[in-house]
Amino acid sequence: MESFNIGLGNNDNETRKLANSDYVHFWDEQAKNLSWFSPWQKTLEWTPPFAKWFVGGKINASYNALDIHQSTRSKKPAIMWEGENGESRVITYADMWTQVQKLANSLKSLGVKKGDRVTIYLPMIPELPISMLACSRIGATHTVIFSGFSASSIRDRVEDSKSKIIITADGGYRRGSIVPLKEVIDEAISGLNFVKNVIVFERTKTKIQLNDKDVLWNDLLKEASDTCTPEHLESSHPLFILYTSGTTGKPKGVLHGTGGYLTHLYSTFKWAFDIKDSDIFFCTADIGWVTGHSYVVYAPLLHGATEVMYEGAPDFPDASRIWDIIQKYHVTIFYTTPTSLRMFIKFGDDIPNSFDLSSIRLLGTVGEPINPEVWKWYYSVIGKEKCPIIDTWWQTETGGMLISALPGLETIPLKPGSGTLPIPGISMSVVDENGTDLPPNTKGYLIIKNPWPGMLLTLWGDDTKYKNVYWSKFKNCYYPGDFAIRDDDGYFWLLGRADDVLKVAGHRIGTAELESCIVSHSDVSESAVCGIPDDVKGEVIISFVVLKESSSKPHDSLREEIVSKIRNEIGAIATPKQIYFVSKLPKTRSGKIMRRLLKSIASNDQIGDISTLEDGAAVSEVQSAFDDLKNSIQEKK
Ligand code: ATP
Ligand code: MG
């Protein structure tokens, strides 16, 4: 397997040694990097499957994100914000601190108390992190809902969390038009009497109707004092509820605590990004997803870092927007998703090549397996063959990264398509159906053998589901639901969701293996494969393919080329029964391919929960590609 000998860092083997000898003591040491109001009495209370970290310790997230920087970095930009319409704002650590305290006092004045839930439905503007930190300052649990969600999705989540207060905006910009967020909220909460107030930030200054419950952000903050003592909260005090992306089914309400979660973020941000005071960090994730919570809001602020925050769509007004932002702000660390990278590849290399990207020193990816071909493109076209790429595997439930190369800690060879090794303090394995460790190079289920500080507390209001989903398949081990392989060097390769595994003629093939092979064809930009029932073979593979804009070959010859590639690189058993060319794939709002939807369409099954789907048009697109082919096959007969 091809490997790249690049990395930064200083090979701090002591950290790994300490972690391997006693992970509880190891995390105890890491937690000391944060500021605590009172020390903990017990590092870990583990009553499987419930973990409490740093029991008895008192802490506050907003204090660690803001107060501790005031004597050294008050004038340093915390956020350099770029609006979709070209506006920009710089918010220093001092500005953030003032705004957070004012809003925290305002929330108190509206009757919000420690333990109450507050729903936040805001676009990517600085008021979103400010709202989260204001909640955490007074011990309210925030629940952020991605600002693209519909009224009914919001209603479900608000009813589930029983939020007293909603924070929203008059509107948000998306691809040049204004999304009427306040109107959506009005519809979502109509008749929900437990919602006491709606705080409205005026982002677009569009005319909105104000109801009895509504208060304008500016009016509220005008009256508020700018000093608010942070609550001293128990380490496992619930910091937030966040619903998963819904790639595999109905979203789950993941509940995270405070001290453990922050310890995990502080450590991984330092190890993975090798963060320096002079860095300009840019993560493209929306704060509505966990990557935004952990690595846009909490981790960079804990470190007093400066980051770029972008409000809009990555291809608005055109496909050069992200490269333009990197050039403008001299971004040094760039963290994005394989989906975005595949989109950039589709538009061609000339676009990034016409920008000065030389400030970048480190690249990261998260969210899906990264195809080796896409990895190499990222490495050469964006990183100019000088920047390490960290492929970070984690989930909403894990709170922070669990597998990643760690340039801030050690230099190890990178292999395109592998996340490399688990972070220190984490014991992971690949096992068979019975939970037995598999030898290297054998496909199986990824499991985690010990609790870790960023681990979810439970699923909100549903301990039973928490136990069933994550802890019942393998005894006393956490089951993430992913399919993986570990190679001879102990590197982990994520092969896709365990539920999506293709079973053909007794072989098990991860979706990522086959998709990566298809994507490595020079005309292809994206691909999704799934298995559907077949009378004769039990299951057959079908594949959906999106072509690059530059592709002009006839579909029939492309089909032949793709099939012969698969036969050569994987084997004849992996040959799809059908290859459908489509212009988009169904994806979740967080950018992940929804294979379960392809499968239902292709098998004529009921389509389940699609509330987190990005674009309804993708479903009909796939459906019609499928129907067309079925018809033409029938005609040929
Ligand atoms: P749901 O649980 O509702 O189906 P989801 O799993 O897509 O939604 P997230 O928590 O956002 O919600 O995604 C976590 C999943 O994303 C992981 O379980 C894994 O399948 C995938 N993933 C994340 N990062 C990587 C990565 N670097 N390599 C491979 N897969 C990844
Ligand atoms: Mg999941």
Side-chain angles (χ1 to χ4, degrees):
M1 185 59 61
E2 193 174 10
S3 72
F4 288 70
N5 263 312
I6 45 169
L8 308 166
N10 46 12
N11 282 337
D12 177 4
N13 294 328
E14 288 309 310
T15 304
R16 288 254 177 219
K17 245 191 254 162
L18 182 65
N20 293 341
S21 69
D22 181 349
Y23 76 89
V24 177
H25 174 60
F26 170 73
W27 287 117
D28 187 276
E29 289 296 313
Q30 308 312 312
K32 292 175 187 161
N33 288 317
L34 301 175
S35 296
W36 296 78
F37 301 121
S38 12
W40 52 97
Q41 280 91 49
K42 198 170 178 198
T43 310
L44 171 65
E45 196 177 285
W46 179 221
T47 323
F50 299 95
K52 279 189 179 164
W53 285 90
F54 315 118
V55 183
K58 295 277 167 42
I59 191 165
N60 184 286
S62 88
Y63 182 84
N64 274 277
L66 299 172
D67 301 45
I68 59 157
H69 305 305
Q70 297 308 317
S71 58
T72 48
R73 300 186 176 93
S74 67
K75 296 210 171 70
K76 184 178 175 180
I79 296 176
M80 297 198 284
W81 177 81
E82 168 96 357
E84 195 188 68
N85 57 3
E87 271 175 71
S88 56
R89 284 164 70 187
V90 174
I91 293 100
T92 64
Y93 273 90
D95 300 336
M96 282 282 275
W97 196 42
T98 308
Q99 293 303 309
V100 165
Q101 295 187 81
K102 278 175 163 273
L103 182 62
N105 282 326
S106 307
L107 290 171
K108 278 189 186 170
S109 73
L110 296 176
V112 179
K113 298 204 171 51
K114 180 173 148 182
D116 286 345
R117 272 82 56 208
V118 172
T119 289
I120 305 173
Y121 182 66
L122 283 173
M124 282 288 282
I125 54 176
E127 284 65 28
L128 173 46
I130 288 170
S131 300
M132 293 159 76
L133 292 168
C135 289
S136 70
R137 197 158 188 92
I138 60 173
T141 301
H142 58 72
T143 148
V144 176
I145 302 178
F146 172 65
S147 65
F149 276 148
S150 65
S152 70
S153 307
I154 300 166
R155 191 181 181 88
D156 287 349
R157 288 162 173 76
V158 172
E159 277 193 310
D160 191 50
S161 61
K162 294 279 174 315
S163 291
K164 234 184 191 170
I165 302 279
I166 315 274
I167 306 179
T168 189
D170 54 355
Y173 288 102
R174 193 73 184 172
R175 291 187 203 285
S177 37
I178 292 175
V179 186
L181 301 177
K182 166 68 169 57
E183 251 175 53
V184 178
I185 286 291
D186 286 347
E187 188 190 336
I189 62 162
S190 127
L192 297 184
N193 294 331
F194 58 84
V195 178
K196 297 294 174 222
N197 288 108
V198 178
I199 302 175
V200 187
F201 181 79
E202 291 167 286
R203 160 69 186 116
T204 57
K205 306 275 192 311
T206 38
K207 224 176 139 46
I208 49 165
Q209 187 185 333
L210 288 179
N211 308 319
D212 292 350
K213 290 182 180 179
D214 302 340
V215 261
L216 290 177
W217 173 295
N218 283 344
D219 292 350
L220 196 62
L221 265 67
K222 220 176 354 191
E223 309 295 322
S225 144
D226 60 6
T227 43
C228 172
T229 313
E231 284 283 332
H232 294 196
L233 301 164
E234 175 65 34
S235 174
S236 46
H237 183 78
L239 180 62
F240 65 86
I241 304 168
L242 180 64
Y243 294 84
T244 56
S245 307
T247 313
T248 52
K250 209 173 150 54
K252 301 171 277 283
V254 170
L255 184 70
H256 276 289
T258 308
Y261 173 74
L262 297 180
T263 300
H264 193 130
L265 294 189
Y266 184 94
S267 309
T268 50
F269 199 67
K270 183 172 68 170
W271 299 329
F273 293 115
D274 186 33
I275 192 76
K276 306 275 191 289
D277 219 16
S278 54
D279 274 318
I280 310 289
F281 179 75
F282 181 23
C283 167
T284 60
D286 193 287
I287 293 173
W289 307 114
V290 74
T291 306
H293 276 59
S294 297
Y295 297 103
V296 176
V297 181
Y298 289 107
L301 298 178
L302 291 177
H303 281 272
T306 294
E307 67 181 325
V308 173
M309 178 175 175
Y310 172 54
E311 180 185 39
D315 54 350
F316 189 85
D318 58 48
S320 70
R321 190 61 189 268
I322 294 296
W323 317 123
D324 190 37
I325 293 175
I326 292 177
Q327 176 179 276
K328 175 172 171 188
Y329 293 97
H330 308 289
V331 168
T332 61
I333 305 173
F334 181 56
Y335 191 30
T336 192
T337 60
T339 303
S340 312
L341 293 173
R342 289 190 293 256
M343 177 185 80
F344 297 137
I345 292 174
K346 185 173 162 181
F347 294 138
D349 299 358
D350 289 352
I351 300 174
N353 282 342
S354 63
F355 287 86
D356 177 7
L357 307 177
S358 61
S359 55
I360 302 177
R361 67 170 182 87
L362 185 57
L363 298 168
T365 136
V366 61
E368 283 188 302
I370 181 165
N371 322 108
E373 209 57 32
V374 175
W375 194 103
K376 287 180 207 154
W377 181 88
Y378 200 20
Y379 181 68
S380 57
V381 179
I382 307 306
K384 314 291 179 206
E385 301 189 2
K386 67 177 174 62
C387 308
I389 296 180
I390 53 167
D391 170 6
T392 65
W393 176 89
W394 56 293
Q395 310 182 294
T396 310
E397 296 87 339
T398 70
M401 301 167 189
L402 286 192
I403 298 177
S404 176
L406 303 171
L409 190 67
E410 61 201 358
T411 313
I412 56 165
L414 301 172
K415 302 184 193 183
S418 166
T420 75
L421 305 172
I423 64 164
I426 305 294
S427 168
M428 277 189 178
S429 192
V430 175
V431 298
D432 66 12
E433 201 63 53
N434 306 316
T436 311
D437 282 337
L438 286 168
N441 304 316
T442 316
K443 298 172 198 172
Y445 303 100
L446 184 71
I447 57 157
I448 305 168
K449 294 185 165 179
N450 58 309
W452 65 98
M455 186 176 127
L456 72 168
L457 299 175
T458 184
L459 289 178
W460 173 251
D462 203 343
D463 286 350
T464 311
K465 188 167 178 190
Y466 166 70
K467 285 185 201 164
N468 290 342
V469 174
Y470 309 106
W471 298 93
S472 63
K473 192 169 168 78
F474 303 108
K475 197 170 181 304
N476 285 346
C477 287
Y478 175 89
Y479 173 53
D482 283 2
F483 197 55
I485 201 166
R486 189 159 43 164
D487 71 14
D488 289 321
D489 296 325
Y491 279 35
F492 285 80
W493 298 75
L494 274 298
L495 303 178
R497 311 295 175 121
D499 292 347
D500 292 335
V501 162
L502 308 162
K503 298 173 205 93
V504 269
H507 295 271
R508 284 145 57 85
I509 303 168
T511 50
E513 302 169 74
L514 187 48
E515 288 166 7
S516 288
C517 174
I518 299 173
V519 166
S520 69
H521 186 289
S522 57
D523 283 46
V524 174
S525 81
E526 283 186 287
S527 161
V529 296
C530 65
I532 56 165
D534 182 84
D535 293 341
V536 183
K537 296 190 171 164
E539 186 169 90
V540 291
I541 302 171
I542 56 165
S543 121
F544 294 85
V545 172
V546 179
L547 296 175
K548 282 186 191 162
E549 285 187 347
S550 55
S551 167
S552 56
K553 278 197 199 129
H555 286 181
D556 280 342
S557 56
L558 272 172
R559 268 197 196 91
E560 279 168 27
E561 286 176 26
I562 293 171
V563 166
S564 85
K565 213 170 177 5
I566 295 170
R567 284 174 184 269
N568 289 336
E569 290 171 26
I570 301 187
I573 51 145
T575 310
K577 186 170 179 198
Q578 261 325 332
I579 295 175
Y580 302 98
F581 293 102
V582 290
S583 72
K584 18 172 136 83
L585 294 171
K587 292 197 195 122
T588 62
R589 299 268 175 150
S590 60
K592 294 166 198 247
I593 298 170
M594 261 182 170
R595 291 178 197 78
R596 68 178 165 91
L597 205 74
L598 298 173
K599 201 176 170 120
S600 339
I601 293 173
S603 333
N604 280 327
D605 281 349
Q606 281 268 308
I607 293 176
D609 185 324
I610 52 165
S611 61
T612 61
L613 190 73
E614 186 193 23
D615 181 355
V619 180
S620 35
E621 173 111 18
V622 171
Q623 179 82 61
S624 75
F626 191 75
D627 291 344
D628 282 358
L629 242 135
K630 251 192 336 207
N631 293 340
S632 69
I633 294 165
Q634 253 145 27
E635 275 162 25
K636 274 187 203 154
K637 281 183 187 164

